[in-house]
Amino acid sequence: MVGADDRAYRRLVDYDGGYADLYVINATTGARTLAFKKLRGSGVVPQGQWSPDGKSVVFYQNKHWHAVNTTDGSIKRITAGMKTAVHNEEHDSPSPAGPYGTAGWTSDSASVLIYDKFDVWQVFVDGRPAQNITRGEGRKSKIRLRVQRIEPVDEDDEERGVDTKKPLVLRGESEVTRASGFYRTSFDATTAPQRLIWGDNNFRYVGRAQDADVLLTTASRFDVFPDLFTSDSNFVAPKKVSNVGAQVAAFDWGTSELMAFNNAKGVPLTAAVYKPANFDPKKKYPLMVYIYERLSQNVHGFVNPAPSQNINPSLYTSNGYVILMPDIAYTTGQPGKSALDAVLPAINKLARQGFIDEKSIGIQGHSWGGYQIAWMVTQTNRFRAAEAGAPVGNMTSAYSGIRWGSGLPRQFQYEQQQSRIGKSLQEAPALYLANSPVFHITKVKTPLLILHNDQDDAVPWYQGIELFLAMRRYDKEAYYFNYNGALHGLRRRADQKDFGLRMNQFFDHFLKGAPKPEWMEKGIAFNDREDEKDRFNQAKVAGPEKK
């Protein structure tokens, strides 16, 4: 058996990550043999996957997959001979890059199916050369191929692993167009996988019948609900068996597409663009930008027009907005500037097409997106209005804040993970100051709407307060919302509806010239908050426009 001991490294979790020493343990005598020193993970075997025969376990470390022989404790780096990377090549935070993943062991325990960016490899634990079982077709076509298990699941079936004697079904998704579909190949194939079904949709496998060759799949787009289809395992002539999407027909909805652009450093990136129904390229439309990190992969996702703390693409396109969701590539030590270097070039390229009202551009994001927006409005006046949800306003005070959901200090986020500073506050105070919005607030000219709740379990809510008070100190136009008892994101539907409508009014006022609502004009007195909510929500909540 295998065990992990993290006692020597527990303090590192505050600012670095989890580590453990990995041991092979004799279950009879209890004797243990050190197999790996200071393995990065979370106190257990990271990414550990046991072979069906129980004699080996594979785990990922230092950009490679390793196999531990649980009999003698020996370790082999089983991907050492591969010519393509098995780690995420787009990883852009200070922490070590993670793996593309695996499809698990084969049933004979001789090999593991490991992914590179595009293809599937059969990697043998006895040292035989790895085999690209998708024959390089994924990389050649820039289609990400992944194993799709479609065998019936029987709770009493003890068979484990992928049977190398059976055909292998794959799901493919284009990294260029986000078209998708299903393929079939076999372990002894000498040609590229056979394409079974393909289209400019988001195809997903749902399940299959227990005793018949009948599969359930969906195929969605931004304007197409993921209704259910049945077919055989060849995916021939799918038959639609649900019709929930009929409800969409009564509304103006919109369409989605991809746009390629380069950031300010020349890095090729992609953005998702959502256009209103009945789009007319001769008209001028207000633009809403929504950001997080990389979002363009969601271009074919259907979005129900439900309220939340974020803009709803279906709602906003239905009400005459163009929406832009650009991907962002990061440089360690420059998280705010990295966002600015991606967002502005994406806006500029879209605006050159002629249908954007450049005086009516808004931006919205939550959490990491909220931080980036708070920083960007201190550096550019490109936006007519902005909303920042649960933002970090001051990295120097947030660095040793607590993520109350997990109880962890936030230091690891800045030194290793999403906040991407790469060093401690004491080692690089200048970077923390440069990336903190509150220290640049005097330059802000963009009206800012802030949402930060007093029970936020990820970002301490005083961060939103610091940002708001800095804005107020210098007479900057800012509006602050706190829903008592709410967490990092709004969970109660009443709160979601309330804030969603107010945010819609905020952007409609600045980007479409709608009258300023009373809450923006007069504010809300503390002792009138609950009554004001009742009065406010008597109004009709905005929804998709009917045709």
Side-chain angles (χ1 to χ4, degrees), residues 257 259 273 275 281 348-356:
E257 60 192 57
M259 179 188 78
V273 179
K275 295 178 179 177
N348 292 340
K349 180 167 184 180
L350 185 65
R352 286 196 292 270
Q353 297 182 41
F355 52 80
I356 297 300

Side-chain angles (χ1 to χ4, degrees), residues 191 201 209 253 284 364 482 501 510 522:
T191 57
N201 307 82
W253 208 262
K284 295 287 187 179
Q364 192 271 323
N482 161 39
L501 180 54
F510 288 110
K522 299 180 179 180

Side-chain angles (χ1 to χ4, degrees), residues 32-147:
R32 61 183 190 176
T33 303
L34 181 64
F36 203 102
K37 185 75 172 175
K38 201 178 180 182
L39 182 67
R40 189 178 176 92
S42 56
V44 295
V45 182
Q47 306 291 334
Q49 298 181 33
W50 284 89
S51 61
D53 64 8
K55 295 181 179 180
S56 300
V57 61
V58 294
F59 64 92
Y60 171 87
Q61 184 77 354
N62 298 329
K63 298 184 178 180
H64 281 284
W65 287 92
H66 304 74
V68 178
N69 183 316
T70 59
T71 302
D72 60 19
S74 62
I75 295 180
K76 288 182 180 178
R77 193 169 67 177
I78 58 175
T79 52
M82 289 181 57
K83 296 181 180 179
T84 60
V86 296
H87 66 276
N88 182 359
E89 296 156 281
E90 293 178 346
H91 181 79
D92 54 11
S93 70
S95 61
Y100 286 114
T102 81
W105 286 84
T106 54
S107 56
D108 59 7
S109 297
S111 59
V112 186
L113 302 184
I114 290 175
Y115 299 135
D116 69 14
K117 184 175 182 178
F118 296 106
D119 289 297
V120 185
W121 293 76
Q122 184 180 15
V123 181
F124 297 93
V125 294
D126 64 3
R128 281 178 285 167
Q131 300 296 318
N132 187 325
I133 60 175
T134 48
R135 305 296 177 249
E137 180 62 22
R139 188 165 296 272
K140 174 184 175 183
S141 305
K142 288 185 167 50
I143 293 174
R144 189 170 294 206
L145 296 170
R146 298 296 183 254
V147 174

Side-chain angles (χ1 to χ4, degrees), residues 480-481 483 498 502 518-533 535-536:
Y480 185 94
F481 277 83
Y483 291 83
D498 184 85
R502 294 181 197 267
E518 183 178 356
W519 63 267
M520 288 179 63
E521 192 71 54
K522 299 180 179 180
I524 303 169
F526 176 80
N527 58 5
D528 189 39
R529 288 197 312 166
E530 296 307 317
D531 290 340
E532 191 277 343
K533 281 184 188 178
R535 294 194 302 270
F536 180 77

Side-chain angles (χ1 to χ4, degrees), residues 365-438:
H366 193 82
S367 191
W368 180 238
Y371 156 71
Q372 294 171 103
I373 290 167
W375 190 87
M376 283 194 288
V377 297
T378 71
Q379 306 296 313
T380 179
N381 298 322
R382 191 74 160 108
F383 306 107
R384 182 66 186 90
E387 191 276 342
V392 166
N394 182 353
M395 284 193 173
T396 69
S397 57
Y399 170 75
S400 288
I402 302 295
R403 292 182 65 98
W404 294 113
S406 64
L408 288 175
R410 290 174 50 85
Q411 296 169 347
F412 71 93
Q413 289 194 224
Y414 299 89
E415 297 189 40
Q416 289 284 316
Q417 295 190 11
Q418 189 176 57
S419 298
R420 295 177 168 90
I421 298 299
K423 295 182 179 180
S424 71
L425 174 61
Q426 292 71 29
E427 293 172 322
L431 288 178
Y432 285 81
L433 293 172
N435 284 283
S436 294
V438 297

